[in-house]
Amino acid sequence: MPLTFTLDPAITPALREGILDLWTDVSNAGGSVGFVPPVTSDEIRPELVRHFVAMAEGRTRLLVGHDEAGRVAATAFLARNTHRLMTHWLWLYTVMVHPRHQGRGYGRDLMAAAEEAARGLGGIEAIRLTCRGGHGLERFYASCGYKEVGRVPDAIRVGPGDDRDEIVMLLPLR
C-alpha cells in the first residue's frame, strides 16, 4: 500500500512520538540522519525540538508519510534558505523511511512528495540536500533526479578512523 503524505500536519503528541520513534529506528538501523548507533530517543529528542522550533518560526516545513496502519513511516523537513540572496532554493533535511518499509519504493515516493511540496511553495527553483558518503546514497538521490554539485572529503566523522565525504546534491525545479 502506498504511503499517505501530509505537508504541515498538526503536531500532536502521537505525531511527535511517531517521528521520534522513526528517527530512533532509522538511526539504529544505520541510517544517515545525524546520529550514529546506538542512540536513544532521549538523545534524538533535542534535535527534534529544534526542528519543531524552526517550524514554529516559519523557517521549516514538515512532510510526513503515514502507512496503512496510520503509523509515521517517512518524514522529510523542507527548510527555507534564510540568506536574502538564496531564497530561491530550499534545503531538504532528515529524509527518513522506516526500516520496515525499505525496499518498497517509499523512498522514491517521499522524494516525489518533497519535490511536489517544494514546487507548491512559490519562488522555489531548486532543492538542495547533503548526504553522507559510503552508503551509495548519492546514487539513490541521483535516481530521483538530483545532481551531485559538491563533495567535501572526510567532512563527517562517524567514528574514530571512519570519516565520510559530505555530498551536496541539487534538484533544479525549473
Side-chain angles (χ1 to χ4, degrees):
M1 295 209 65
L3 299 181
T4 303
F5 290 99
T6 306
L7 181 64
D8 300 326
I11 305 300
T12 64
L15 180 63
R16 185 180 60 243
E17 291 307 309
I19 295 170
L20 191 58
D21 290 345
L22 170 67
W23 204 338
T24 304
D25 291 346
V26 168
S27 296
N28 285 326
S32 301
V33 288
F35 294 91
V36 176
V39 66
T40 66
S41 58
D42 287 337
E43 293 169 294
I44 293 173
R45 185 174 281 109
E47 187 63 26
L48 179 58
V49 168
R50 281 189 278 281
H51 280 56
F52 287 156
V53 167
M55 289 168 54
E57 293 173 349
R59 296 181 289 119
T60 298
R61 311 281 295 269
L62 170 61
L63 178 66
V64 175
H66 286 91
D67 64 17
E68 63 279 357
R71 294 176 298 206
V72 174
T75 62
F77 290 85
L78 295 87
R80 288 197 173 268
N81 194 320
T82 58
H83 190 286
R84 68 186 155 279
L85 302 178
M86 298 181 193
T87 59
H88 59 288
W89 60 267
L90 58 73
W91 285 103
L92 190 62
Y93 285 109
T94 321
V95 176
M96 301 184 283
V97 174
H98 196 281
R100 74 175 158 264
H101 295 301
Q102 298 288 325
R104 297 183 186 179
Y106 292 164
R108 288 187 196 292
D109 294 345
L110 176 60
M111 297 307 291
E115 179 180 345
E116 182 180 337
R119 287 182 185 279
L121 295 180
I124 300 299
E125 299 174 13
I127 302 171
R128 193 166 157 184
L129 61 80
T130 62
C131 62
R132 182 188 306 172
H135 291 287
L137 294 171
E138 65 273 28
R139 288 189 299 275
F140 168 73
Y141 291 121
S143 75
C144 295
Y146 286 74
K147 306 281 188 266
E148 182 177 330
V149 295
R151 184 179 286 254
V152 181
D154 301 332
I156 301 168
R157 179 151 295 152
V158 179
D162 188 3
D163 293 346
R164 309 284 178 88
D165 293 356
E166 178 183 45
I167 303 164
V168 182
M169 309 287 294
L170 184 77
L171 177 69
L173 297 178
R174 53 183 180 137

